[in-house]
Amino acid sequence: NNANNRSTVSGCLNINKEEKFDYSYLDNLVEKGKITFKEKEEKLLIQKEMVNRIFSLSFKKELSDKLYKKLSQGSRNDINHAGIRPSPKDADYLIERLRTYYEKTVEIISANKPINE
Protein backbone atom coordinates (compact mmCIF):
# COMPACT_ATOMS: atom_id res chain seq x y z
CA ASN A 1 0.00 0.00 0.00
CA ASN A 2 3.04 2.27 0.08
CA ALA A 3 4.39 3.50 -3.27
CA ASN A 4 7.79 4.35 -1.82
CA ASN A 5 8.18 0.86 -0.33
CA ARG A 6 7.07 -0.80 -3.59
CA SER A 7 9.53 1.34 -5.53
CA THR A 8 12.30 0.49 -3.09
CA VAL A 9 11.72 -3.27 -3.22
CA SER A 10 11.34 -3.24 -7.00
CA GLY A 11 14.50 -1.18 -7.39
CA CYS A 12 16.45 -3.59 -5.20
CA LEU A 13 15.23 -6.65 -7.07
CA ASN A 14 16.24 -5.10 -10.40
CA ILE A 15 19.89 -4.52 -9.48
CA ASN A 16 22.71 -6.72 -8.24
CA LYS A 17 24.67 -4.29 -6.04
CA GLU A 18 23.40 -2.18 -3.16
CA GLU A 19 25.58 0.79 -4.11
CA LYS A 20 23.75 1.03 -7.46
CA PHE A 21 20.39 1.74 -5.80
CA ASP A 22 18.87 5.01 -7.06
CA TYR A 23 17.49 7.14 -4.22
CA SER A 24 16.23 9.92 -6.52
CA TYR A 25 12.58 8.81 -6.24
CA LEU A 26 12.23 10.88 -3.06
CA ASP A 27 13.92 13.90 -4.67
CA ASN A 28 11.28 13.78 -7.39
CA LEU A 29 8.52 13.84 -4.77
CA VAL A 30 10.07 16.93 -3.16
CA GLU A 31 10.39 18.66 -6.54
CA LYS A 32 6.72 17.95 -7.30
CA GLY A 33 5.70 19.33 -3.90
CA LYS A 34 4.26 16.00 -2.76
CA ILE A 35 6.49 15.81 0.32
CA THR A 36 8.61 18.30 2.23
CA PHE A 37 12.38 18.15 2.51
CA LYS A 38 12.00 17.06 6.15
CA GLU A 39 9.62 14.25 5.13
CA LYS A 40 12.12 13.21 2.45
CA GLU A 41 14.89 12.95 5.03
CA GLU A 42 12.68 10.81 7.29
CA LYS A 43 11.66 8.56 4.40
CA LEU A 44 15.25 8.33 3.19
CA LEU A 45 16.37 6.84 6.51
CA ILE A 46 13.65 4.19 6.25
CA GLN A 47 14.46 3.58 2.59
CA LYS A 48 18.18 3.11 3.29
CA GLU A 49 17.37 0.62 6.04
CA MET A 50 15.06 -1.30 3.68
CA VAL A 51 17.70 -1.40 0.94
CA ASN A 52 20.29 -2.64 3.40
CA ARG A 53 17.97 -5.35 4.74
CA ILE A 54 16.96 -6.53 1.27
CA PHE A 55 20.57 -6.82 0.14
CA SER A 56 21.48 -8.71 3.30
CA LEU A 57 18.93 -11.44 2.55
CA SER A 58 20.73 -14.68 1.72
CA PHE A 59 18.18 -15.41 -1.01
CA LYS A 60 18.02 -11.93 -2.60
CA LYS A 61 20.02 -12.89 -5.70
CA GLU A 62 17.98 -16.04 -6.23
CA LEU A 63 14.73 -14.14 -5.86
CA SER A 64 15.92 -11.42 -8.26
CA ASP A 65 17.47 -13.57 -10.95
CA LYS A 66 15.22 -16.63 -10.98
CA LEU A 67 11.89 -14.92 -10.45
CA TYR A 68 11.51 -11.16 -10.36
CA LYS A 69 13.50 -10.27 -13.46
CA LYS A 70 11.94 -13.06 -15.53
CA LEU A 71 8.43 -12.12 -14.47
CA SER A 72 8.96 -8.42 -15.06
CA GLN A 73 10.50 -8.95 -18.50
CA GLY A 74 7.52 -10.68 -20.05
CA SER A 75 4.28 -11.16 -18.19
CA ARG A 76 4.40 -7.82 -16.40
CA ASN A 77 4.27 -5.93 -19.70
CA ASP A 78 1.29 -7.95 -20.93
CA ILE A 79 -0.56 -7.20 -17.69
CA ASN A 80 0.39 -3.52 -17.39
CA HIS A 81 -0.25 -2.76 -21.06
CA ALA A 82 -3.39 -4.93 -21.36
CA GLY A 83 -1.81 -7.08 -24.05
CA ILE A 84 -1.45 -4.18 -26.48
CA ARG A 85 1.83 -5.27 -28.01
CA PRO A 86 2.93 -7.77 -30.63
CA SER A 87 2.19 -11.41 -29.67
CA PRO A 88 0.71 -10.88 -26.20
CA LYS A 89 0.08 -13.90 -23.95
CA ASP A 90 -3.48 -14.91 -23.16
CA ALA A 91 -5.06 -14.61 -19.72
CA ASP A 92 -4.78 -18.31 -18.85
CA TYR A 93 -1.04 -18.26 -19.54
CA LEU A 94 -0.60 -15.17 -17.36
CA ILE A 95 -2.66 -16.65 -14.52
CA GLU A 96 -0.60 -19.84 -14.54
CA ARG A 97 2.68 -17.95 -14.78
CA LEU A 98 1.77 -15.69 -11.83
CA ARG A 99 0.69 -18.73 -9.79
CA THR A 100 3.98 -20.49 -10.57
CA TYR A 101 6.09 -17.47 -9.68
CA TYR A 102 4.13 -16.91 -6.48
CA GLU A 103 4.67 -20.53 -5.43
CA LYS A 104 8.40 -20.33 -6.23
CA THR A 105 8.69 -17.09 -4.25
CA VAL A 106 7.04 -18.67 -1.21
CA GLU A 107 9.29 -21.72 -1.60
CA ILE A 108 12.48 -19.61 -1.69
CA ILE A 109 11.46 -17.48 1.28
CA SER A 110 10.27 -20.49 3.31
CA ALA A 111 13.49 -22.41 2.63
CA ASN A 112 15.51 -19.48 3.96
CA LYS A 113 13.41 -18.72 7.03
CA PRO A 114 15.23 -19.04 10.36
CA ILE A 115 14.13 -22.13 12.31
CA ASN A 116 13.13 -20.18 15.45
CA GLU A 117 10.41 -18.18 13.62
Side-chain angles (χ1 to χ4, degrees):
N1 294 334
N2 181 302
N4 186 48
N5 290 352
R6 283 194 312 274
S7 176
T8 300
V9 172
S10 176
C12 288
L13 292 175
N14 272 311
I15 59 175
N16 293 325
K17 296 188 179 199
E18 185 174 353
E19 54 273 5
K20 290 187 175 185
F21 186 82
D22 180 8
Y23 289 94
S24 65
Y25 175 78
L26 294 172
D27 292 329
N28 294 334
L29 294 178
V30 172
E31 288 173 16
K32 293 177 182 177
K34 295 189 176 194
I35 62 172
T36 65
F37 182 78
K38 183 178 179 186
E39 290 170 318
K40 175 208 163 196
E41 293 301 311
E42 292 167 358
K43 290 178 183 295
L44 186 60
L45 290 174
I46 294 167
Q47 189 177 44
K48 285 182 177 183
E49 175 64 22
M50 283 181 66
V51 170
N52 181 266
R53 290 181 79 177
I54 291 168
F55 276 91
S56 69
L57 294 171
S58 61
F59 55 91
K60 188 269 180 203
K61 182 171 176 36
E62 183 179 18
L63 199 59
S64 289
D65 296 347
K66 291 185 178 177
L67 298 172
Y68 188 80
K69 289 177 184 175
K70 288 181 181 180
L71 180 63
S72 65
Q73 288 169 358
S75 301
R76 179 189 169 278
N77 287 332
D78 277 331
I79 293 167
N80 286 359
H81 303 291
I84 300 174
R85 67 183 195 98
S87 304
K89 303 294 185 215
D90 66 22
D92 289 336
Y93 172 85
L94 295 172
I95 290 167
E96 183 54 36
R97 188 162 164 118
L98 288 172
R99 181 178 291 118
T100 299
Y101 279 107
Y102 170 78
E103 290 168 358
K104 287 181 181 181
T105 300
V106 170
E107 185 179 309
I108 290 169
I109 292 170
S110 296
N112 290 282
K113 199 189 238 184
I115 296 171
N116 60 359
E117 282 191 21

